[in-house]
Amino acid sequence: MDVMEFFQLSTGVWRSQRTTHHLAFKRTEAGESEIQVEALAADHAKVVEICQIHDVDPKHAIGGAFVSWHGAMGWDKDDENHEGSTVFALIPDIDQPRNGTLLRERGYAEIVPVAGQYHMDDDGGLVLTTEYETMSSIERFWFPSPSLRMRTSTVKRFGGFATATFCTEFRLGDASEVAANPEKADRSQDASEPTPATAEPAPHLSVLGW
Amino acid sequence: MDVMEFFQLSTGVWRSQRTTHHLAFKRTEAGESEIQVEALAADHAKVVEICQIHDVDPKHAIGGAFVSWHGAMGWDKDDENHEGSTVFALIPDIDQPRNGTLLRERGYAEIVPVAGQYHMDDDGGLVLTTEYETMSSIERFWFPSPSLRMRTSTVKRFGGFATATFCTEFRLGDASEVAANPEKADRSQDASEPTPATAEPAPHLSVLGW
């Protein structure tokens, strides 16, 4: 899979279940969000515009994506609003086309334009590395199946690991990849629904034991 | 990194912070465990014995590991006991030495001997694929730093994704990789300790936005 195939497969609406491990405090924070992704062609006006913001010749872009999201994390105050959108452009390295630069309109935490490095690994994963002024992040996205996307990210602040985040993301309208029917299992919609037997804690499966 | 380098780097005692996403039920389960890992040489008696159990010539093994663990998950009943240990042997493929078979003494969920496939990817990750009678799992382990190991795993049952698990694991006795002092931040040890300012929810950082 190349990087544009990754964003073409990402195109659609996704429901994200997110967990953040706050490493120094051994605390876990849960959240959910809805994400919309649209792959953009190399000649899309927004891709051209972002290249120009970053002083990059737009003819080097192979495409980009538009992403919007809304959601909430467990520790949010009422007035915090996890809504937003971003657009970015992808500029592959000339000699290593599976690596490149991701130019972004704006970062979530900082208002200045940001650029990150991307890399498509041999297992179809997209790895993004971004350096901010006082922190850095490494993220890996991959598709266990076309309708299930996963993500891990680690954030370093002042040289130490601060958080590690894991997201499982389902394509909305396609529950075919899930072992049981999520509508029936979502007890919040019908409190009288008996707990399915398979909601019992599953044994922690690992061939390594732990 | 090759697979024995991976287990040599894993050798030691680790504190694991674990989150399982039960996909069909949109529920999140948290847990913690302590893990001890010891790399074993190819001629270790246990490695030889496991090869013999699986009818594999022990001279094809490049080594193995001994793993023991104890911990608890959020939904456990009181009488459930997450303690155990396992030993396994590593048999590389002849033509592709970064791939191979992991022979195990016994599975966590099944008492019969199990064999899984391993693969070291180009980013230093160890990928394990294991087929059980009614389920399968794919796990990926990697080291963001020598004292921080991470793991994701997905489990399929009857063809559908059932759970996705994420673990962040610190080497005990080495907190140098963490952004703040975990001893001071662990409020369970000293309830009068004020909450550090940095325990506030961090903005969800991603160069992709979501």
Side-chain angles (χ1 to χ4, degrees):
Chain A
M1 191 179 318
D2 67 30
V3 68
M4 281 312 298
E5 287 168 346
F6 182 93
F7 283 107
Q8 279 146 9
L9 191 54
S10 288
T11 292
V13 183
W14 299 78
R15 184 80 193 161
S16 178
Q17 185 176 355
R18 186 164 73 216
T19 298
T20 295
H21 292 174
H22 294 262
L23 300 180
F25 308 107
K26 296 176 189 151
R27 290 291 181 276
T28 295
E29 185 185 13
E32 288 199 355
S33 58
E34 194 174 297
I35 298 151
Q36 187 154 6
V37 183
E38 184 190 348
L40 303 179
D43 60 357
H44 191 284
K46 270 289 188 187
V47 172
V48 172
E49 182 189 338
I50 288 164
C51 290
Q52 288 165 345
I53 290 171
H54 287 268
D55 288 327
V56 169
D57 187 338
K59 78 178 182 206
H60 293 137
I62 52 166
F66 171 75
V67 177
S68 61
W69 64 91
H70 58 92
M73 286 297 277
W75 295 354
D76 285 349
K77 302 179 192 95
D78 286 343
D79 59 349
E80 281 187 287
N81 193 349
H82 283 280
E83 281 190 28
S85 66
T86 189
V87 180
F88 49 82
L90 299 158
I91 317 290
D93 290 353
I94 290 165
D95 50 346
Q96 289 185 308
R98 293 179 70 79
N99 295 5
T101 303
L102 186 150
L103 301 177
R104 198 171 165 208
E105 196 178 35
R106 67 180 192 84
Y108 184 85
E110 302 176 29
I111 306 302
V112 296
V114 294
Q117 299 302 310
Y118 71 80
H119 161 58
M120 290 300 301
D121 70 23
D122 290 341
D123 292 321
L126 168 66
V127 180
L128 296 178
T129 308
T130 313
E131 300 284 341
Y132 297 84
E133 198 171 322
T134 59
M135 54 192 159
S136 63
S137 72
I138 297 179
E139 305 169 83
R140 182 173 185 266
F141 300 75
W142 73 101
F143 285 94
S145 80
S147 291
L148 177 60
R149 189 176 55 211
M150 293 197 177
R151 171 158 65 109
T152 59
S153 63
T154 51
V155 173
K156 271 189 165 181
R157 290 172 199 274
F158 306 107
F161 287 100
T163 58
T165 296
F166 178 51
C167 302
T168 49
E169 304 179 336
F170 280 100
R171 194 183 292 279
L172 277 188
D174 183 357
S176 64
E177 302 292 346
V178 188
N181 186 330
E183 261 56 61
K184 283 197 176 169
D186 189 348
R187 281 163 286 171
S188 65
Q189 290 174 13
D190 179 4
S192 67
E193 189 85 26
T195 305
T198 48
E200 288 291 306
H204 181 61
L205 265 183
S206 169
V207 75
L208 291 193
W210 81 85
Chain B
M1 190 178 321
D2 68 29
V3 68
M4 281 313 297
E5 287 167 348
F6 182 93
F7 283 107
Q8 279 146 10
L9 192 53
S10 289
T11 292
V13 183
W14 299 78
R15 184 81 191 160
S16 178
Q17 185 177 353
R18 185 164 73 216
T19 299
T20 295
H21 292 174
H22 293 263
L23 300 181
F25 308 107
K26 296 176 189 151
R27 290 290 180 278
T28 295
E29 186 185 14
E32 288 199 355
S33 58
E34 195 173 299
I35 298 151
Q36 187 153 7
V37 182
E38 184 190 348
L40 303 179
D43 60 356
H44 191 284
K46 270 290 187 187
V47 173
V48 172
E49 182 190 337
I50 288 166
C51 290
Q52 288 165 343
I53 291 172
H54 287 268
D55 287 326
V56 169
D57 187 339
K59 77 177 183 204
H60 293 137
I62 53 166
F66 171 75
V67 177
S68 62
W69 64 92
H70 59 92
M73 285 297 277
W75 296 353
D76 285 351
K77 301 179 193 97
D78 285 344
D79 59 349
E80 281 187 286
N81 193 348
H82 283 279
E83 281 191 27
S85 67
T86 189
V87 180
F88 49 83
L90 298 157
I91 317 290
D93 291 353
I94 290 165
D95 50 347
Q96 289 185 307
R98 293 179 70 79
N99 295 4
T101 303
L102 186 150
L103 301 178
R104 195 169 168 213
E105 196 179 35
R106 67 179 191 84
Y108 184 85
E110 302 176 30
I111 305 302
V112 295
V114 293
Q117 299 302 309
Y118 71 81
H119 161 59
M120 291 299 300
D121 70 24
D122 290 339
D123 292 321
L126 168 65
V127 181
L128 297 178
T129 308
T130 312
E131 300 284 339
Y132 297 84
E133 200 172 321
T134 59
M135 54 193 157
S136 62
S137 73
I138 297 179
E139 303 168 84
R140 182 172 186 267
F141 300 74
W142 73 101
F143 285 94
S145 81
S147 291
L148 176 60
R149 189 177 55 210
M150 294 197 176
R151 171 158 64 108
T152 59
S153 63
T154 51
V155 173
K156 271 190 164 182
R157 290 171 199 273
F158 306 107
F161 286 99
T163 57
T165 296
F166 179 50
C167 302
T168 51
E169 304 179 338
F170 281 99
R171 195 184 291 279
L172 277 188
D174 183 355
S176 63
E177 302 294 347
V178 187
N181 186 330
E183 261 56 58
K184 284 200 177 168
D186 189 348
R187 281 163 285 170
S188 65
Q189 290 174 13
D190 180 2
S192 66
E193 189 83 29
T195 305
T198 49
E200 288 291 305
H204 180 61
L205 265 182
S206 168
V207 74
L208 293 193
W210 81 85

